[in-house]
Amino acid sequence: MTHSYFTLVNAVASAEEDKHSVLEAIVNNGDLTEEEAASIELHAALLGLEAKVDKLVTKTNSL
Amino acid sequence: MTAGAIFGAITGLIALILSASISVWLKLLMTRSFNAIDERLRVLSQENNKNFDSLSKKMEGADQCIRTLEQEIVRVEALTQSVVEVKDKIVTLEGIRSDLLERLNEYIRRGDFIRDTQTLLNQIEIIYKKIDYVDAKIDKLRDK
């Protein structure tokens, strides 16, 4: 369960298309509850935010 | 002297000689018996000493065993105490876990979880845009 949770989070974080739609499709398929999907989406968004901030800090430091 | 007196004297002499002989024989017999008893006592005393030494060594070993056992008992008592403490902590943690699960379920049941997650996602989206804006600004600065 924990393993599949992190696998899903990483998959959603690195997905190019609309993350919410991807998760919505999984929820509609009955593989995830709405709360699980929301949690995964939030976790993935935080990972993306962390990556963006790191990138920005690197860029700022290189000025 | 009459014949009776002579007979009496001879009989008395014989009795005296016999008595002396029996006395000597008895003395010899008793001496031999005492020597045998002495020897037996000496052997018994030696065996007793040997047994006593062996018993003393065994007692020392038993003492050591008792001391080791006492230490082990102290250790086991300490471990038992630790196990009891750990069990108490597990019970406490199970209580906390159960309470947290109940609160989480209530949080989800009220629909607050989805609502708050959506709010956070919106805020993250805004931060994304702000970062993109700053990123573009940095690129412009770099170009100048």
Side-chain angles (χ1 to χ4, degrees), chain A residues 20 41-42 45, chain B residues 114-129:
Chain A
H20 186 73
E41 192 178 353
L42 181 62
Chain B
I114 297 288
R115 190 201 63 212
D116 291 347
T117 306
Q118 197 49 55
T119 309
L120 282 170
L121 281 169
N122 292 341
Q123 285 171 350
I124 289 169
E125 195 59 41
I126 293 166
I127 296 167
Y128 269 27
K129 281 175 185 161

Side-chain angles (χ1 to χ4, degrees), chain A residues 20 34-36 38-39 41-42 44-46 48-49 52-53 56 59-60 62-63, chain B residues 108 113-114 117-118 120-121 124 127-129 131-132 134-136 138-139 141-142:
Chain A
H20 186 73
E34 207 181 337
E35 286 79 18
E36 284 169 338
S39 175
E41 192 178 353
L42 181 62
L46 284 169
L49 183 63
K52 252 186 183 309
V53 170
L56 186 67
K59 197 178 245 186
T60 313
S62 68
L63 281 176
Chain B
I108 290 170
F113 179 75
I114 297 288
T117 306
Q118 197 49 55
L120 282 170
L121 281 169
I124 289 169
I127 296 167
Y128 269 27
K129 281 175 185 161
I131 289 172
D132 285 343
V134 174
D135 201 38
I138 288 169
D139 283 342
L141 274 172
R142 211 184 244 167

Side-chain angles (χ1 to χ4, degrees), chain B residues 56-140:
Chain B
S56 286
K57 279 177 192 166
K58 281 179 184 167
M59 287 291 283
E60 277 173 26
D63 266 0
Q64 184 60 42
C65 281
I66 287 166
R67 275 196 294 276
T68 310
L69 273 173
E70 280 171 351
Q71 285 168 359
E72 285 298 311
I73 286 167
V74 169
R75 210 169 62 88
V76 169
E77 277 174 353
L79 278 173
T80 309
Q81 184 59 33
S82 300
V83 168
V84 169
E85 282 170 14
V86 168
K87 274 184 178 173
D88 286 349
K89 280 178 186 165
I90 286 171
V91 170
T92 311
L93 284 172
E94 275 175 354
I96 293 169
R97 178 178 168 271
S98 156
D99 182 47
L100 283 173
L101 267 176
E102 203 177 305
R103 286 164 65 183
L104 180 64
N105 283 334
E106 181 57 31
Y107 181 57
I108 290 170
R109 228 184 348 261
R110 285 198 310 262
D112 291 350
F113 179 75
I114 297 288
R115 190 201 63 212
D116 291 347
T117 306
Q118 197 49 55
T119 309
L120 282 170
L121 281 169
N122 292 341
Q123 285 171 350
I124 289 169
E125 195 59 41
I126 293 166
I127 296 167
Y128 269 27
K129 281 175 185 161
K130 283 182 180 172
I131 289 172
D132 285 343
Y133 175 76
V134 174
D135 201 38
K137 281 269 182 196
I138 288 169
D139 283 342
K140 272 184 189 171

Side-chain angles (χ1 to χ4, degrees), chain A residues 2-62:
Chain A
T2 311
H3 175 71
S4 59
Y5 171 80
F6 285 108
T7 310
L8 267 173
V9 168
N10 286 323
V12 171
S14 56
E16 290 296 327
E17 61 267 44
D18 181 16
K19 297 167 183 14
H20 186 73
S21 305
V22 172
L23 280 165
E24 212 169 44
I26 299 172
V27 171
N28 289 337
N29 207 28
D31 294 327
L32 282 178
T33 64
E34 207 181 337
E35 286 79 18
E36 284 169 338
S39 175
I40 289 166
E41 192 178 353
L42 181 62
H43 199 148
L46 284 169
L47 284 180
L49 183 63
E50 194 183 357
K52 252 186 183 309
V53 170
D54 283 347
K55 209 172 152 187
L56 186 67
V57 168
T58 311
K59 197 178 245 186
T60 313
N61 286 339
S62 68

